[in-house]
Amino acid sequence: AQKVTQAQTEISVVEKEDVTLDCVYETRDTTYYLFWYKQPPSGELVFLIRRNSFDEQNEISGRYSWNFQKSTSSFNFTITASQVVDSAVYFCALSEAQAGTALIFGKGTTLSVSS
Amino acid sequence: SAVISQKPSRDICQRGTSLTIQCQVDSQVTMMFWYRQQPGQSLTLIATANQGSEATYESGFVIDKFPISRPNLTFSTLTVSNMSPEDSSIYLCSVESVYGGELFFGEGSRLTVL
C-alpha cells in the first residue's frame, strides 16, 4: 500500500530563515511520481513540483529546492530565506507512474512565517 | 495547464438535504478525480470518474452517499446526499495533465452543513 508521511504538523519560522519540510513515502512500485503542493489560506492547491522516481537529481527553483533520496524514501522540500507569503499548508503526495492514477497525500505541514 | 471551474464555490446546507457540485474543465480529459478535505485535514480521494463508465469509489465512500456523473470528457458532478454536519468539507475536483503525471485542481467547493 502507498503511504506518505509528513511528520511535522506545524513549523514556525521568522522571515529570512531557511526551513525544510520533511516527506517520507512508502510504495511497492518501482516507478512512481512524487509531488509537492502548496495550499495558501485562500484554499486553492498550487502545484510546486513533480519528480519521477528514476530522477534522483535534486532540483532548485528560486528559493525552493527539493532533495530526493530513494535510499531513505524521502523527498524533502527546503525554502531558503523564507518570506511571509510562504505561509501555507504544504502537502507531499505520491502516485503510480501511469496515466489516470490519483494522488495519495500526506497530512500536510503548516508553515507560518512571521516578520 | 487545465483550467477547472467548480460550482458552487461555497454553500451552507441544511442537514438531510443533498447538494450537487459541478466541475467543468476547459479541455477534454480522460480521468477526473474527486477529493474531500475535511477541516484542518489532508485530501482524501473519494472516487475516480471515467467517462462512459461508473465511478470507482475508494474505501469508505459509497455511491449512494456520493453519486457521481461523468456525461462527457469535460464535465462531472458530485452529489453529497443526505448531508450531515460531518460532511462539512472542501470538495475538490482534479484532472490529470494531458502529458501525464501532474494533477490540476479546481478551487474547491466549501460546504458547511448545519
Side-chain angles (χ1 to χ4, degrees):
Chain A
Q2 296 183 325
K3 184 179 178 181
V4 176
T5 301
Q6 295 179 255
Q8 305 150 306
T9 305
E10 295 183 14
I11 301 176
S12 295
V13 299
V14 178
E15 257 191 325
K16 300 184 183 177
E17 284 186 25
D18 298 346
V19 58
T20 296
L21 309 181
D22 298 334
C23 174
V24 174
Y25 62 92
E26 296 176 27
T27 180
R28 293 181 181 174
D29 296 326
T30 54
T31 307
Y32 48 88
Y33 289 122
L34 294 163
F35 301 78
W36 276 94
Y37 283 86
K38 173 182 179 180
Q39 188 175 43
S42 52
E44 77 274 19
L45 275 170
V46 179
F47 168 81
L48 296 178
I49 190 172
R50 184 196 77 179
R51 173 63 72 213
N52 186 305
S53 57
F54 287 119
D55 182 2
E56 291 192 66
Q57 199 169 25
N58 291 330
E59 181 157 340
I60 298 175
S61 176
R63 296 185 296 108
Y64 296 169
S65 62
W66 290 269
N67 183 359
F68 176 31
Q69 293 198 344
K70 227 171 174 179
S71 60
T72 56
S73 298
S74 66
F75 186 44
N76 296 338
F77 172 33
T78 297
I79 302 174
T80 304
S82 59
Q83 300 176 1
V84 172
V85 293
D86 295 327
S87 297
V89 181
Y90 290 86
F91 292 100
C92 180
L94 167 72
S95 77
E96 298 174 19
Q98 63 182 52
T101 304
L103 269 60
I104 305 299
F105 283 84
K107 292 185 181 297
T109 297
T110 300
L111 174 65
S112 299
V113 182
S114 57
S115 57
Chain B
S1 65
V3 177
I4 304 171
S5 302
Q6 277 189 241
K7 292 180 181 179
S9 58
R10 60 178 63 231
D11 207 341
I12 299 174
C13 307
Q14 296 299 317
R15 182 196 299 258
T17 63
S18 299
L19 182 78
T20 296
I21 302 166
Q22 299 179 3
C23 177
Q24 179 74 54
V25 188
D26 68 343
S27 57
Q28 294 185 342
V29 294
T30 305
M31 295 288 194
M32 295 178 78
F33 305 97
W34 286 98
Y35 285 85
R36 180 177 73 180
Q37 187 178 22
Q38 294 176 301
Q41 302 297 313
S42 184
L43 283 78
T44 301
L45 181 65
I46 297 172
T48 302
N50 197 1
Q51 194 268 335
S53 62
E54 284 196 6
T56 303
Y57 289 83
E58 297 299 304
S59 176
F61 298 95
V62 296
I63 188 171
D64 290 345
K65 175 68 176 175
F66 297 101
I68 289 172
S69 77
R70 182 78 201 275
N72 57 52
L73 291 174
T74 63
F75 187 78
S76 178
T77 67
L78 168 75
T79 299
V80 186
S81 303
N82 188 25
M83 287 184 284
S84 67
E86 292 71 34
D87 294 319
S88 297
S89 297
I90 300 173
Y91 293 85
L92 297 107
C93 169
S94 75
V95 302
E96 187 178 29
S97 163
V98 294
Y99 303 106
E102 179 182 342
L103 252 62
F104 299 103
F105 286 84
E107 294 188 348
S109 298
R110 188 183 296 267
L111 301 189
T112 302
V113 185
L114 303 177

